[in-house]
């Protein structure tokens, strides 16, 4: 059995869902429309007691949608600034003396590379890496061990001798 709040919310969604969707389609990036509409509906649910009566609700909902759209645009701008910043600070701009190490890192799969970087650059132990990646600590330990061996072999292939082992050990100094 639905409560009065749920019944009122369902009536609101039926009344304003399509007009809000059209409003957002005309103003938002197509990929963001559904997310902004969902955020708007969440605000309606949370503020159900503040929502005007059905006859006066649409302008109020447009105001909420406008605010949610502004929040989404600000979040997208922050995301783009972060992507730009990360692009400027990636290993691609690393000192030339580590080119071989970065080339060797690129031979690893994406998840193995992330595990190695979390260990070497962020100083995380397998348990911490497990929390970041969603793997078990045991799986991280196995991946890390295998990835380090693969890195060392790749570096030895490029350098000859035991230089690969030494560079992998020093990986956390980069």
């Amino acid at each position: 059995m639905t409560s009065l709040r749920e019944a009122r919310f369902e009536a609101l969604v039926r009344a304003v869902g399509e007009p809000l969707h059209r409003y957002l389609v005309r103003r938002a990036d197509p990929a963001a429309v559904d997310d902004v509409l969902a955020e708007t509906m969440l605000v309606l649910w949370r503020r159900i007691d503040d929502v005007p009566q059905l006859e006066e609700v649409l302008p109020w909902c447009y105001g909420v949608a406008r605010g949610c759209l502004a929040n989404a645009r600000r979040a997208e701008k922050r995301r783009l600034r972060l992507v730009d910043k990360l692009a400027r600070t990636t290993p691609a701009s690393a000192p030339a003396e580590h080119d071989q190490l970065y080339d060797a890192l690129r031979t690893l799969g994406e998840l193995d590379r992330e595990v190695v970087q979390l260990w070497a650059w962020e100083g995380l132990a397998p348990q911490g890496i497990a929390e970041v990646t969603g793997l078990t600590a045991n799986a991280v330990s196995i991946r890390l061990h295998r990835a380090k061996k693969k890195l060392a072999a790749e570096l030895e292939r490029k350098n000859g001798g035991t230089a690969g082992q030494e560079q992998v050990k020093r990986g956390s100094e980069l």
Side-chain angles (χ1 to χ4, degrees):
M1 184 170 145
T2 61
S3 71
L4 291 176
R5 283 176 58 101
E6 290 170 340
R8 180 154 191 252
F9 178 72
E10 289 171 5
L12 282 169
V13 169
R14 282 191 300 276
V16 301
E18 188 58 34
L20 283 174
H21 186 266
R22 285 191 311 265
Y23 173 86
L24 292 168
V25 164
R26 289 188 291 268
R27 287 164 177 79
D29 178 72
V33 169
D34 289 337
D35 290 338
V36 175
L37 181 61
E39 185 67 28
T40 303
M41 293 302 174
L42 180 61
V43 171
L44 290 178
W45 172 252
R46 288 179 177 159
R47 296 185 56 198
I48 194 77
D49 296 332
D50 300 330
V51 176
Q53 294 304 312
L54 204 52
E55 306 81 41
E56 304 163 357
V57 74
L58 200 51
W60 189 88
C61 290
Y62 286 148
V64 171
R66 185 171 182 265
C68 290
L69 183 56
N71 288 341
R73 287 177 177 153
R74 282 190 298 274
E76 180 64 10
K77 285 180 184 176
R78 284 190 305 270
R79 187 189 71 78
L80 290 174
R81 281 194 309 267
L82 178 60
V83 166
D84 183 53
K85 182 178 179 181
L86 288 173
R88 287 183 272 124
T89 61
T90 58
S93 63
E97 70 254 17
H98 300 298
D99 282 347
Q100 288 181 342
L101 180 57
Y102 291 118
D103 288 342
L105 271 171
R106 285 188 277 277
T107 67
L108 297 177
E110 186 177 329
L111 184 57
D112 287 342
R113 187 171 47 247
E114 178 70 7
V115 165
V116 169
Q117 289 172 336
L118 288 168
W119 166 75
W121 294 345
E122 311 309 328
L124 294 180
Q127 184 61 44
I129 297 170
E131 289 178 36
V132 172
T133 61
L135 299 170
T136 65
N138 189 46
V140 167
S141 295
I142 292 168
R143 280 184 175 274
L144 184 58
H145 176 74
R146 289 178 181 165
K148 286 166 46 178
K149 281 179 64 173
K150 185 175 179 182
L151 277 175
E154 181 67 21
L155 290 168
E156 286 178 24
R157 185 183 67 75
K158 289 181 180 209
N159 296 331
T162 60
Q165 291 287 349
E166 188 58 36
Q167 276 191 283
V168 171
K169 287 179 186 174
R170 288 184 305 150
S172 59
E173 298 170 9
L174 301 178

